[in-house]
Amino acid sequence: MRLVDARGLVRIHGRGTAAEHRALDCVDFSMEPGEWVAIVGPSGSGKSTLLHLVALTDRPDAGALTVAGQPTYGLSDAALTRLRRDRLGHLHQAFHLLPTLDVLGNVRLPLDLQGVPDREAERRARAMLEEVGLERETHRHPAALSGGQQQRVALARALVHAPALVVADEPTGNLDRETGRRVLTLIRRAIAFAGSGILMVTHDPEVAAAADRCLTLVDGRFET
Ligand SMILES: Nc1ncnc2c1ncn2[C@@H]1O[C@H](COP(=O)(O)OP(=O)(O)OP(=O)(O)O)[C@@H](O)[C@H]1O
Ligand SMILES: [Mg+2]
């Protein structure tokens, strides 16, 4: 099984308007299970657009996309949502933690959404928090945490359900260099712990160099 297989992906933003833009122009790429792939490229080259397609939060205008072994063409919104919930983890530059939930509540959320029994969800969330070194912060709220701590909570949440694939858009982009390095080390450890692959957009050459493979997008195409 291929973790991701994309053939001839096209995404045109603002179709039929003056602002029409071909953000992805016939992109092919694939990932193997457990692989870490970095995507780099200039601002506006289509990196986030590609990530949204793979994250199943947007649909291509043309092309074929298989995610976690599941061909996505023709799937209903409900089926895409299930696939996203069960097989994917998400990591964002801006963390996107829920402010009303404490650390434990944020991390166990993907399990709660899947209907995992209460004690099992708590046990797995605590194990993941231990993996990112936050086992003592379980009852604090996101607003009371540093940026690096918030991203570690987000990382634990992205991996708690052992997703096949984590999609990450500049996960170290809001962190200072030293904190970014520490989070990167944790990402490496945590994806190995969960057995997940990761597709990561980054502007940081150090992050890109840590990946198994690095692809460069320019004007909606991969450079060869
Ligand atoms: N909703 C939209 N409507 C019109 N154009 C859009 C839309 N979203 C993105 N674009 C355009 O598509 C192109 C690719 O955008 P995208 O966000 O994928 O770039 P990016 O590589 O992630 O850039 P950055 O590094 O700045 O985050 C850009 O030219 C952008 O202006
Ligand atoms: Mg972007």
Side-chain angles (χ1 to χ4, degrees), residues 47-48 169-170 201:
K47 302 182 300 294
S48 294
D169 202 345
E170 298 189 47
V201 166

Side-chain angles (χ1 to χ4, degrees), residues 162-218:
L165 175 67
V166 175
V167 281
D169 202 345
E170 298 189 47
T172 60
N174 275 2
L175 306 175
D176 64 73
R177 181 154 287 276
E178 197 42 49
T179 308
R181 274 202 190 122
R182 277 209 298 274
V183 167
L184 189 64
T185 303
L186 278 173
I187 290 177
R188 196 197 320 262
R189 252 186 40 198
I191 59 174
F193 177 80
S196 308
I198 182 165
L199 179 63
M200 183 188 292
V201 166
T202 182
H203 279 114
D204 183 342
E206 226 176 279
V207 176
D212 297 327
R213 202 146 55 88
C214 179
L215 302 169
T216 305
L217 258 184
V218 178

Side-chain angles (χ1 to χ4, degrees), residues 112-175:
D112 292 335
L113 291 173
Q114 282 183 16
V116 172
D118 185 54
R119 286 178 59 188
E120 169 75 3
E122 168 140 3
R123 188 186 64 72
R124 287 169 64 184
R126 285 187 185 279
M128 204 63 230
L129 278 165
E130 198 162 316
E131 190 59 27
V132 300
L134 286 177
E135 66 276 10
R136 286 155 67 163
E137 321 293 339
T138 48
H139 293 301
R140 294 176 71 186
H141 278 72
L145 301 175
S146 71
Q149 286 173 327
Q150 289 184 53
Q151 194 58 306
R152 281 147 64 195
V153 176
L155 177 62
R157 180 184 58 184
L159 287 162
V160 73
H161 54 309
L165 175 67
V166 175
V167 281
D169 202 345
E170 298 189 47
T172 60
N174 275 2
L175 306 175

Side-chain angles (χ1 to χ4, degrees), residues 14 21 48 54 78 180:
H21 184 85
S48 294
V54 175

Side-chain angles (χ1 to χ4, degrees), residues 68-134:
Q70 169 76 59
T72 59
Y73 185 77
L75 288 187
S76 66
D77 285 345
L80 287 176
T81 299
R82 267 198 307 278
L83 184 58
R84 188 162 66 233
R85 184 192 70 193
D86 295 343
R87 308 302 310 278
L88 302 185
H90 307 266
L91 207 52
H92 304 269
Q93 179 172 2
F95 320 137
H96 292 320
L97 298 174
L98 295 180
T100 55
L101 297 179
D102 65 9
V103 164
L104 187 64
N106 270 279
V107 172
R108 57 176 286 167
L109 192 60
L111 301 173
D112 292 335
L113 291 173
Q114 282 183 16
V116 172
D118 185 54
R119 286 178 59 188
E120 169 75 3
E122 168 140 3
R123 188 186 64 72
R124 287 169 64 184
R126 285 187 185 279
M128 204 63 230
L129 278 165
E130 198 162 316
E131 190 59 27
V132 300
L134 286 177

